[in-house]
Amino acid sequence: MRSIELREKYINFFVSKGHKQIPSAPVVPENDPSVLFNTAGMQPLVPYLMGQPHPYGKRLCDYQKCMRTNDLDEVGDLTHHTFFEMLGNWSLGDYFKKESISWSFEFLTKVLEIPVERLAVTVFKGNDIVEADSESANIWKSLGISEKRIKYLGEDDNWWPNMESTGPCGPDTEIFYFRSNDEIPEEFDTSDERWVEIWNNVFMQYNHNQDGTFTELPQKNVDTGMGVERVTALLEGQTDNYASSIWNDIIETIEKVSNLDYKGHEKEMRIIADHIRSAVFISADPAGIKPSNTDQGYILRRLIRRAIRYAKKLDIDINSDWEQEIALAIINKNKKYYVELEENKDVVLDVLRTEKVKFNRTLENGLKEFEKMINKVEGKVLDKDHAFRLYDTFGFPIELTVELAKEKGIEVDVEGFKEKFKKHQEISRAGAKEKFKGGLASTGKIETQYHTATHLLNAALKVVVGPQVHQRGSNITEERMRFDFSCDHKLTDDEKQKVQDLVNKWIDAGYPVIKEEMKKDDAIKSGAECMFVERYPDIVTVYKIGDVSAELCGGPHVSNTSELPHIKIKKEEAVSAGVRRIKAVFVN
Ligand code: SER
C-alpha cells in the first residue's frame, strides 16, 4: 500500500462523514509566537477550538505539515523523524465521543482492513478535573474491543498535550496496533513495545489558563491525530519507517549519490533523508525562513549542517550536487500535495546550496581543529571556550560539537557555552529553546495588540511607500512585532518616520476593528489584503480597521485601535532580495 492512498483514504472517509477538507497550514505558524513550528494538526485551529466559528463549519479534516525538533538528535534510528505529516479530523462543538470512536474504528477495520485482534486502546482513568472515561471504554466495548484490550491510564499517558502546557486540552483515548508476527497476546500490556500507538482521539473540552486553572471551553471538541509515516510503515509491514514507500525514493537517491547500499549505512542515510526533507519543507514555507543563528533559521541551519556531516561520513563528494538531487526527489514526491514545493523550488535549492557552500568552507578545518582540541582535553570535558571557538570560527552548532565529542566519549560544557554565547549574541538560541517548551498557542493581550498593529503597519507602508508593498511574513512576541514586506529599497529615515507617524495617527483616531465573513472572491475583489490567496478557504474572515485597512486574517484582534499604545520602529533591514523587515515595539 502507498502512503498516498492512506492520505486519500483518510480524507475521503471523513468527507463521507460530513467533514470539510481544509488546506494544510504553513509549517511555520503565522502570528503564533509561542512555538517555532506547528507540532500538531490542531495547532492552527486553536482559535476555533476556543469557540470562534470556522468558515468551513464544525467538521473538519486535513493532512498537516508538522515539525517536532526535541528529538532531533535521535533521528537515525528506526522510527524518529523531525518533519512529519499528521492526518486529523475535528469536531468543533459538534459530535463527541460516540461518533469519533466509532468512525476511528470503522476507518481502521473497514477501510484499512486491520483485523480487530490487532487493536487495543487506552482511556483516561480520571483526575480531579474529570472523572474516569468509562464512556469511551463502553463505546470501544460495544464495537467489539474486548475488556482485556482496554487499559485505563493517568495524566501522563491520556491527557493531551500534558498537564503543563497552556491552551486547549483534555483527556484522550489512544489506539494501538500490534506490530509483530508473534502470536497476539489476549491481554494488552501497555509496556509491551510490540503495541504501537497509531491514533490519538482527544476530547478537548478544557482550556489550561496562564494562571494554572482549567476552565471548560464554550464547546466540546474532538481533535484526532494520526502520523502518516508511522502508520504507512506499519501497514506496509515495515519495522523500519525508512523502508516504507514514504521514504524509498529518497533513500534510493541517497544510495545513488553515495554509491553505497542502504544496508550497512542505515543511520547515516536516515539522517540525511530526514534532515534534507525537513530543510526542503521549511525553506519552501511561505514564511521564507533562511538558515541563521536564531529561531527557525537555527533549526534549518542545524538540519542542513548535520546532513552535510553525515554525507561526509558516507564519502559523498560534498561539492557535487548531491543535496540538490535529494531535494529534487523530495520535491517531486510531494509537490502534488504541497504546491509550495514546486513554486519555491529555486528558493529551496538555493538555500541548500548556499548553506552547504558556507559550511563546507570551514567544515574540514573545524574537524581538524576539533581533533586537536580533543587530544589536549583535560579530564573528559571540552570546555566552553573551545566549544565557542568551534561555533564562532567554524560554524559548528553546539549540538554538532556535542555529537562529535560523544563519539569520542567526551562531554562538552554546554551550560558554559550558552553563557558565553548569550554574552555574544543579541538574541540567544536559548530563547528558541524556551519556545519549544512554551506549549500551545495562547494569544495574550499584548500579542493581540501587536497583531492589530501589524495590519496598521501594512496599510501605512502602502500609503507611504506604494500599493505594491505586500506582507511577506510576520512574527510577534510579547516584546515586539516583526513584519516582513516586499520592497525594492531600504526605507529612508523620512519614510520610516512617516510610516510610524501614520500608524500612531490611526491609533489615536480610535478606528473600530470589525470582523466580517465573506466569499474569498468578493474579499479579493473588494481589495482586501491577502498574503497567500490559494491558502484560504472559499469563505474567509476579513478584518477591517476603519477605512484604512482590510485584510484576510484569522484574528484575534483588539476591537478598537485606541486600545493600542503608540508604536516605534526600532529597525529596518533586508531579509532577502526584495524583502525588507521592520521591527517595532510599543511605547507608552
Ligand atoms: N493533538 C493530538 C496529537 O497531536 C491529536 O491530534 O496527538
Side-chain angles (χ1 to χ4, degrees):
M1 179 176 165
R2 309 282 302 176
S3 61
I4 292 158
E5 288 177 47
L6 173 61
R7 246 196 231 112
E8 283 167 357
K9 279 182 174 155
Y10 185 91
I11 298 294
N12 289 342
F13 178 80
F14 282 99
V15 167
S16 83
K17 303 291 183 198
H19 293 65
K20 288 264 166 38
Q21 184 186 355
I22 54 170
S24 172
V27 71
V28 177
E30 291 164 311
N31 299 314
D32 179 357
S34 67
V35 282
L36 293 180
F37 297 105
N38 274 319
T39 57
M42 52 69 72
Q43 226 160 294
L45 294 172
V46 169
Y48 310 104
L49 293 161
M50 305 284 283
Q52 188 177 313
H54 191 283
Y56 271 26
K58 294 181 170 181
R59 297 183 182 189
L60 310 174
C61 62
D62 74 4
Y63 45 88
Q64 167 67 42
K65 299 186 282 185
C66 298
M67 271 288 290
R68 292 188 185 174
T69 50
N70 27 359
D71 290 336
L72 198 151
D73 296 317
E74 304 282 324
V75 174
D77 66 5
L78 294 166
T79 54
H80 278 92
H81 312 297
T82 47
F83 174 85
F84 65 103
E85 286 174 80
M86 192 182 278
L87 297 166
N89 62 280
W90 292 272
S91 157
L92 303 171
D94 188 34
Y95 61 83
F96 206 44
K97 295 183 183 176
K98 186 161 185 290
E99 294 84 345
S100 171
I101 292 175
S102 307
W103 289 336
S104 290
F105 185 78
E106 185 182 338
F107 180 70
L108 294 173
T109 57
K110 297 272 166 18
V111 181
L112 300 183
E113 297 178 350
I114 297 174
V116 184
E117 301 74 63
R118 284 205 177 266
L119 297 175
V121 300
T122 58
V123 296
F124 188 48
K125 80 169 180 200
N127 60 5
D128 45 13
I129 302 164
V130 54
E131 59 187 24
D133 194 4
S134 46
E135 188 185 347
S136 292
N138 286 334
I139 300 167
W140 284 118
K141 265 186 254 169
S142 75
L143 293 166
I145 301 281
S146 77
E147 206 144 339
K148 289 191 169 157
R149 292 282 179 80
I150 302 172
K151 295 287 164 201
Y152 283 83
L153 298 179
E155 294 168 352
D156 289 347
D157 296 284
N158 283 80
W159 188 277
W160 202 90
N162 51 53
M163 296 306 279
E164 288 80 44
S165 301
T166 53
C169 58
D172 62 14
T173 177
E174 296 190 349
I175 310 172
F176 290 74
Y177 173 91
F178 192 72
R179 169 167 62 182
S180 166
N181 292 328
D182 302 345
E183 196 184 324
I184 313 173
E186 209 181 313
E187 176 124 18
F188 171 34
D189 171 2
T190 52
S191 65
D192 180 342
E193 287 182 358
R194 292 173 300 176
W195 289 103
V196 183
E197 188 220 322
I198 54 171
W199 205 346
N200 183 12
N201 296 24
V202 186
F203 305 116
M204 201 164 253
Q205 55 187 114
Y206 298 94
N207 188 47
H208 189 191
N209 305 307
Q210 300 271 352
D211 65 7
T213 56
F214 288 82
T215 39
E216 288 231 20
L217 290 173
Q219 63 193 27
K220 288 181 179 176
N221 307 298
V222 174
D223 153 45
T224 90
M226 179 195 270
V228 173
E229 289 74 4
R230 182 186 292 181
V231 175
T232 301
L234 287 175
L235 294 176
E236 290 177 353
Q238 303 290 356
T239 33
D240 175 358
N241 280 7
Y242 291 85
S244 84
S245 60
I246 304 256
W247 295 93
N248 55 7
D249 307 0
I250 305 169
I251 297 288
E252 272 166 31
T253 311
I254 302 175
E255 287 182 312
K256 194 178 122 222
V257 296
S258 64
N259 221 355
L260 292 169
D261 280 341
Y262 179 54
K263 205 168 164 21
H265 306 94
E266 289 91 343
K267 179 177 177 194
E268 293 80 3
M269 290 197 188
R270 288 175 194 146
I271 290 174
I272 296 168
D274 173 86
H275 289 8
I276 301 278
R277 190 170 84 129
S278 297
V280 165
F281 274 94
I282 296 172
S283 46
D285 207 66
I289 303 295
K290 299 284 181 295
S292 73
N293 290 333
T294 54
D295 296 346
Q296 292 95 341
Y298 183 73
I299 300 292
L300 181 57
R301 168 156 287 166
R302 256 175 85 189
L303 289 164
I304 300 175
R305 294 191 172 194
R306 191 160 184 255
I308 294 171
R309 192 172 81 84
Y310 278 88
K312 231 177 135 52
K313 284 189 176 217
L314 295 183
D315 282 330
I316 292 174
D317 174 6
I318 301 294
N319 292 314
S320 72
D321 274 342
W322 64 280
E323 86 293 350
Q324 307 278 301
E325 281 191 49
I326 300 167
L328 285 170
I330 295 163
I331 292 171
N332 286 335
K333 203 176 172 71
N334 295 287
K335 64 186 179 192
K336 187 169 151 206
Y337 300 97
Y338 299 104
V339 284
E340 64 275 21
L341 295 181
E342 181 68 28
E343 281 168 13
N344 297 330
K345 184 158 103 182
D346 294 343
V347 175
V348 171
L349 296 177
D350 188 55
V351 162
L352 288 168
R353 190 184 299 109
T354 309
E355 184 65 6
K356 178 184 81 171
V357 169
K358 218 180 244 175
F359 188 44
N360 201 23
R361 248 184 253 143
T362 57
L363 175 62
E364 202 59 46
N365 289 336
L367 288 171
K368 279 194 203 130
E369 181 76 12
F370 172 78
E371 291 295 330
K372 263 196 254 162
M373 288 176 183
I374 290 293
N375 290 335
K376 281 192 268 172
V377 141
E378 285 174 19
K380 282 269 168 212
V381 181
L382 186 74
D383 67 42
K384 62 175 193 282
D385 297 326
H386 284 112
F388 194 76
R389 180 168 156 71
L390 288 172
Y391 167 78
D392 203 31
T393 312
F394 301 101
F396 280 26
I398 183 68
E399 295 81 2
L400 173 58
T401 303
V402 170
E403 196 174 351
L404 285 167
K406 204 170 156 197
E407 287 169 12
K408 307 268 180 192
I410 287 171
E411 279 179 36
V412 181
D413 176 9
V414 177
E415 285 312 309
F417 169 87
K418 278 191 188 160
E419 269 166 38
K420 208 172 155 86
F421 181 83
K422 257 191 201 159
K423 280 190 203 133
H424 284 73
Q425 300 287 322
E426 191 188 294
I427 313 157
S428 79
R429 199 191 82 73
K433 212 162 174 201
E434 283 311 310
K435 286 194 181 178
F436 287 117
K437 286 197 237 133
L440 298 169
S442 55
T443 312
K445 178 170 170 241
I446 302 176
E447 286 102 328
T448 305
Q449 289 176 322
Y450 270 126
H451 190 182
T452 309
T454 60
H455 284 217
L456 293 177
L457 182 62
N458 194 3
L461 283 164
K462 284 181 199 302
V463 175
V464 175
V465 182
Q468 72 283 3
V469 168
H470 289 288
Q471 176 171 354
R472 286 285 172 263
S474 101
N475 176 284
I476 292 166
T477 70
E478 275 203 354
E479 281 80 39
R480 55 112 180 103
M481 64 200 243
R482 203 175 77 189
F483 186 77
D484 295 351
F485 56 102
S486 54
C487 178
D488 61 3
H489 65 277
K490 180 175 168 56
L491 295 195
T492 62
D493 288 345
D494 185 45
E495 281 175 317
K496 276 189 280 185
Q497 192 63 48
K498 281 192 175 136
V499 168
Q500 183 178 304
D501 290 347
L502 192 53
V503 171
N504 291 336
K505 194 177 121 194
W506 288 337
I507 289 172
D508 291 339
Y511 288 120
V513 181
I514 311 258
K515 185 172 129 188
E516 272 178 37
E517 280 189 5
M518 56 173 91
K519 286 201 185 128
K520 176 161 87 175
D521 292 348
D522 294 345
I524 308 284
K525 257 185 244 148
S526 76
E529 179 73 357
C530 164
M531 198 164 38
F532 309 106
V533 181
E534 71 284 1
R535 257 176 256 283
Y536 287 90
D538 296 336
I539 305 286
V540 296
T541 319
V542 174
Y543 277 89
K544 289 190 177 160
I545 307 179
D547 58 359
V548 299
S549 156
E551 278 194 39
L552 273 70
C553 176
H557 284 283
V558 301
S559 50
N560 189 294
T561 58
S562 61
E563 292 164 41
L564 307 181
H566 276 184
I567 69 151
K568 183 169 171 52
I569 296 178
K570 296 291 272 189
K571 210 171 181 181
E572 193 272 343
E573 61 190 351
V575 183
S576 58
V579 180
R580 311 283 309 173
R581 171 171 293 174
I582 281 181
K583 283 189 187 153
V585 295
F586 283 138
V587 283
N588 284 311

